[in-house]
Structure formats: C-alpha cells, structure tokens
Amino acid sequence: MKTKPKVLISPIIFMGYMAVAFLSSCDKNNDDPVINTVQTQKEEIRKGQLNGQPITYVRKDGKNFFQGDIVLTDEQLDGPQKKGGASYSRWPSGNIYYTIASNMGSINRDKIINAINQYNSYTNTKWIARTNQSNYVQFIFGSQTGSDGWAHIGYRGGVQTISLDQYISVGSVIHEMGHTVGLYHEHTRQDRDQYVRILWDNIQSGQSYNFDKYTSGVDIGPFNINSVMMYWPTSYSRNGQPTITRANGSSFTYTRTGFTTGDINTINAMYP
Ligand SMILES: [Zn+2]
C-alpha cells in the first residue's frame, strides 16, 4: 500500500484548503479488465466548467457524468457563484450519514457493510447509518445485470447517491465511496504524464475526454498506479489493447482490491 492520489481543490473551497480530493480510477467497475461497452442509451456529450476548468462530460438520464462514473450536479457545473459563493466539498467533521435501499439485496448489502467498515477502520471519515439527518448519501441499486457504479462527487448537501449494480466488487464499492468523500480518478492527476502514458489511438471513439487531466484539483501524495481510484489498463479500449501503460510503455496489472496505504493517507489528509 503506497499510494497517493490527487486531491482536487475546488475553487469553491473555503479556507483555501477545502478541496475535494481526487484519486482515480475507473469508470466502469468491472472486475475483469474488459472493455467498457459503449452506451446505447441516449446520451449527449457536452462542454462545461468545473471549478473554473473547461471540461467535457456526458448528459445521460438527466445526470451529468464526468470521467465515466462521477456525477456532477447542475450546481457544481454552474459554479459556486450561483449558489452565493458558498459551497462545500468535504463532509462536515468527516461524518457521512448513509442509507441503503431496501431492494439492494444481501450480496450488495454485505459488500457495502464491508466497505463501510474499512472506511471506518482506516480513515478519519465516519460512515454512520442515518436517523433523521437531512444531508446524507443513499446507496441505491442500479440493476441486477451490470457491474457498474456511479456516485456524486464530494459533499453537496441534501440527498446524494451512490449507485451499485449486482456484480460490483467490494473494491469498486470503496472506489465509488471515494468519489463521495471527494476523490477523482488517479490518472487525471496533473502529474500523471510522469508515470503513465495514455494510448489515445486505442480509446473508443468519442471517449477520449475521460482521459483528460483534471487540473483544478490538488494532487495529494505521490502518484499511485495501484490506487483504488485508478482506471483499468484497458478502460474504454476500442480494440482490447491498453489505453494506459506505465510512462515507459510497459504494461501494468491492476487489481482493485481495496485501499492502498496512499489512498488512506490521502483521505486522512483531506479529513484530518
Ligand atoms: Zn470512478
């Protein structure tokens, strides 16, 4: 375990250090390194602004998907000014209240509890079953057939969501929860070119924006290719060939089993 993801500082941040951290990793949470299938649902590629940086995202099912599995609210895309200059990206006191949908099923419920126990054991965030709090995250069941997940990024106030499918792994549940605490994907760190190479020619048509650097954040700790927030080597591959290699061109193997030490250190830097 030695990782350090990237933390994202949002301009929205207060006190100059209230950033959203970003680690990195995949968009689809397949456990096998297979390519993500192209979506056939109606979706539209759009340009927008996130924390002052021009970004490309996908509008689908009324939601704004960034880097594959991160959902941005319209408010986050509009910027803090619309909200009166105040916006939070970190959960107050590191307390994250949650609910689990009643139709989640025991398999996913067990994975969620496992992941929550790991957050509560290793990080300074505290995941607490909701009683009557108005600001919380709901784990919802996306579908019985997929292995994808998505989550809102950082703390937004009100009800926010982590969506999980039937075949998602515990490691990918931890990954989606990483977005909830404020982490983005490791391969979008500003310094990533020192550590990885993006093979643009192998990326599916129209998906290259998922590999754009996100420079409005703060990279916390060293780049960690094993981070739970890393993409798979063949994420969005159009031909089964790698879309990400090490900077020297050699391949890397990636198994999203859970936290690395660097991931834990990063989260704890965000939530001291
Ligand atoms: Zn992700």
Side-chain angles (χ1 to χ4, degrees):
M1 299 194 135
K2 46 184 176 182
T3 297
K4 274 305 185 102
K6 129 193 243 176
V7 173
L8 211 267
I9 253 206
S10 95
I12 324 182
I13 301 151
F14 40 76
M15 290 168 46
Y17 192 85
M18 205 51 187
V20 178
F22 271 18
L23 286 177
S24 68
S25 188
C26 72
D27 69 307
K28 303 281 186 164
N29 296 285
N30 297 316
D31 282 309
D32 53 37
V34 179
I35 308 89
N36 304 308
T37 51
V38 178
Q39 298 286 337
T40 52
Q41 300 142 275
K42 189 169 152 196
E43 58 182 52
E44 178 189 349
I45 294 178
R46 292 188 182 177
K47 306 278 188 190
Q49 286 247 337
L50 180 62
N51 295 332
Q53 179 182 332
I55 63 161
T56 303
Y57 65 97
V58 168
R59 180 79 176 178
K60 184 174 62 178
D61 299 333
K63 292 187 282 292
N64 310 307
F65 287 88
F66 179 53
Q67 297 179 3
D69 67 332
I70 296 170
V71 171
L72 304 172
T73 62
D74 292 341
E75 214 165 38
Q76 286 171 319
L77 283 168
D78 287 340
Q81 66 284 355
K82 189 166 182 178
K83 203 174 172 183
S87 179
Y88 304 157
S89 52
R90 306 276 176 95
W91 289 78
S93 304
N95 292 334
I96 303 174
Y97 296 95
Y98 70 89
T99 61
I100 300 176
S102 57
N103 68 338
M104 184 62 80
S106 60
I107 295 174
N108 270 16
R109 179 175 291 270
D110 289 349
K111 292 174 189 169
I112 293 167
I113 297 303
N114 181 326
I116 284 174
N117 288 341
Q118 292 195 50
Y119 270 88
N120 287 343
S121 296
Y122 298 123
T123 80
N124 295 332
T125 62
K126 293 172 286 291
W127 293 70
I128 304 163
R130 173 185 181 250
T131 51
N132 61 355
Q133 290 79 17
S134 54
N135 300 322
Y136 64 97
V137 59
Q138 55 176 356
F139 287 91
I140 66 168
F141 188 45
S143 87
Q144 300 191 356
T145 55
S147 55
D148 297 345
W150 58 263
H152 286 110
I153 184 80
Y155 169 79
R156 50 168 279 194
V159 184
Q160 57 190 82
T161 299
I162 296 173
S163 177
L164 306 175
D165 288 351
Q166 185 70 65
Y167 300 110
I168 200 165
S169 66
V170 171
S172 288
V173 176
I174 290 173
H175 172 99
E176 296 305 331
M177 294 166 72
H179 291 318
T180 302
V181 306
L183 299 172
Y184 290 78
H185 293 126
E186 192 76 5
H187 76 287
T188 66
R189 287 171 56 117
Q190 303 177 52
D191 63 354
R192 67 105 184 275
D193 291 335
Q194 298 174 44
Y195 306 98
V196 294
R197 181 183 300 173
I198 306 300
L199 303 180
W200 301 98
D201 290 346
N202 292 338
I203 299 172
Q204 294 168 14
S205 174
Q207 298 294 344
S208 61
Y209 63 87
N210 290 304
F211 297 81
D212 290 344
K213 285 184 235 179
Y214 185 69
T215 56
S216 294
V218 171
D219 295 343
I220 294 181
F223 185 93
N224 175 12
I225 204 164
N226 295 311
S227 169
V228 73
M229 304 309 290
M230 187 66 196
Y231 263 28
W232 273 278
T234 53
S235 290
Y236 291 106
S237 177
R238 65 175 180 82
N239 53 13
Q241 296 301 304
T243 52
I244 306 175
T245 64
R246 295 180 189 276
N248 65 7
S250 65
S251 62
F252 68 99
T253 54
Y254 177 63
T255 305
R256 184 181 292 169
T257 52
F259 285 128
T260 61
T261 299
D263 294 327
I264 293 168
N265 291 343
T266 295
I267 293 170
N268 289 341
M270 296 167 65
Y271 294 91

